[in-house]
Amino acid sequence: MAGLTLLLYRTLLYLACPLLLAYFLWRSRKDSAYRQRLPERFAFGLKAKQLTPGGIVVHAVSVGEVIAATPLIQQLQRQYPGKSITVTCTTPTGSATIQSRFGSSVQHCYLPLDYPGAVRRFLTVLQPAILVILETELWPNLLAGCAKRAIPVAVVNARLSARSAKGYRRFAALTKPLLGNISLLLTQDKASSQRFRKLGYHGALAVSGNLKFELAIPATTAGLLEQFQPAFAKRLVWVAASTHAGEDEQLLALYPKLKQQFPSLLLMLVPRHPERFDKVAELVQQAGLSLWRRSAVATEQNNASANTVPDITADIALGDSMGELLAWYQLADLVFIGGSLIARGGHNPLEAICFAKAVQSGPHIFNFKDAYRQLQQQQAVALVADSQALLDNSRLLFTDVSVRQAQGQRAQQFFLQQQGATARTLAAIETLFTGSRMSNHDVTQPQPTQPLASGQKVGASYQSTVQNGASYWFDPQFFREITAAHFQSQWWQQQQAVIGSSTGRNTAYFVKHGEHKLVLRHYYRGGLVGKILHDQFWLQPVAQSRAMQEYQLLSWMREQGLAVPRPVAASYQRSGMIYRANLLIELIPNSKDLAAILQQRAITVSEWQAVGAAIAQMHQLGVYHSDLNCRNIMLDAAGIVWLIDFDKCSRRTPGEWTEQNLARLLRSFNKEKGKLAVFNWQESDWQSLQQGYQQQLAAAPLTITEQN
């Protein structure tokens, strides 16, 4: 029966081919991208792209899925630096988002249409070690092709509504074999897991949470904020995001009524589909309102003489650009989420609440019903019945700043409490590489209707908690609980626990906690920007922040056997569009850095060789040290070489950067030699260091590039 059903499916698919081609041509009337790369839709021409086979393929349907997958993809790049990452999608806007967010750091192509031949060509070229599919983009021929080639398939961030489950049951003869080809299924909520079980899925299944709660902010966003914030700061900004036909007209009709009460009001319309940009501009003109278009502003990169701080005096701003919505959210005073005043089902509100923005939505929210329901429970969203109710709510929120801010803060608090899905998803995916068995309890969290409990464990080496909008990670072996006070030097001084401090550019404090000695380090900016912002960093998701990135890297390196400090706690404190961060690490006992030692004595040949071997071990694991110098290498009383200060460091595939790392270290020795009266450093010492480095490489060549 299953074979006959699959045959029928394929027959219908071939019969529908002319209709599919007609659809792409019809869409290309307004967006030429739909007729470009058309052969790629059938997996033709992939060999010409010279894609590296054998890596990880991540499929994200369109823009929303790409945004949700970004933190996971970034973590996969760090976790498996030796494997190529290929990100696929099915829409031109999704493709543009992939290219803008990742550039050449990932491979990219369209996922082909689900024809047997196209699937065969796709899998032959890429030969994936694993296929990761976001949400429920399940195609029978693709899954069957992976099963035939023994390619594990992980479906992550999956959600199955009662309505969809009912539809799957109607085609049980096709659904059950399809589900049987999935190796790992991670759902957003417990209800979805139960529905998949009832449909007949018997593989590894767990609740991992919603990836959309872990937003990754593109690097370009900071530049946009710097460019446009001065102009937007002069206005009361109402961003209407992802709007559709029928909504823009209603919003434009509301604007003059609100403008009478709020003269500085700027309505920014950001249509969902690029092909509607010009149509919305026409609607603005027909309404007799003045218009400012984002596309009309030349960027500094395109025009060196362009004014990078435009003066926006128009009534309406049109966000006719791709990949910039997160910047508009951060500049907004109030956000309306489109697709909800008409029966389109609404769009994702999480990107806006991440920035503590008060969010409004119309009544049609079935696409994100659970998220809106949870936000309603927290009094963190305004749901309105129609345009008149939207007008009344907007007047209320624009009039009372405190009400608006309180709603946004409640929403952000809810957002932060739901994080952790990326770590759980990554841990589960790793089981497919290691072959270890995952039980239903290995990757789990409470139902999304209940916020993550304070202190809930989210990884093997740390626990997390959220307090008053701040996020903390900590090692439970050091702290039973963690508070903001643990990251304040004044608190440690009040406990009479400060035992010393560093004398570098920025002070670090040495403190005593029970039997342990710790180093408290606050994160500061360097360079010219640091003179202005000092310790403020552009907003990033918690897991992508400076402190948490260093915490994770140190934990991983210690697991690999490297002598690096043990991380014990990290903090992330958000304030508006910036955050501040701190890190607590264990103090390395009876140790000095090489610069301090060389001012007192010469280092022996064996010690230099040990230094070289330690650096080689770090490079063998693919760890790039962004500031490898003689003050970040320590020797303890037992002769063990320790590597420290891994801020802004990362895992990479070994390459030319290893030589650049060593060259940076050599420059630091020569620099200290030139400025210090006594510095026991000779050229022969460098030769001894290199000898130890090469001996370590010979013992274990540079092939350990991933955690297998």
Side-chain angles (χ1 to χ4, degrees), residues 75 78 214 416 419-420 423 458 461-467 469-475 482 487 521 523 537 540-557 567-574 579-585 646-650:
Q75 289 296 330
R78 296 184 182 96
E214 299 188 25
L416 293 174
Q419 294 190 332
V458 295
S461 59
Y462 64 88
Q463 291 184 347
S464 72
T465 183
V466 178
Q467 301 171 15
S471 296
Y472 304 103
W473 289 5
F474 63 99
D475 187 330
I482 200 81
F487 300 95
R521 196 175 87 233
Y523 284 81
F537 301 91
Q540 289 287 331
V542 175
Q544 304 298 317
S545 65
R546 295 274 284 270
M548 276 54 173
Q549 285 289 300
E550 187 170 356
Y551 192 114
Q552 292 178 87
L553 183 59
L554 287 173
S555 296
W556 180 82
M557 287 191 292
V568 297
S571 73
Y572 169 99
Q573 177 64 62
R574 174 181 172 159
Y579 75 89
R580 294 178 174 87
N582 298 277
L583 184 68
L584 272 167
I585 60 175
F646 284 87
D647 180 29
K648 297 189 294 186
C649 300
S650 61

Side-chain angles (χ1 to χ4, degrees), residues 16 83 121 219 291 306 313 439 532 646:
K83 289 191 178 295
R121 287 187 290 272
L291 175 66
T313 58
S439 73
I532 303 172
F646 284 87

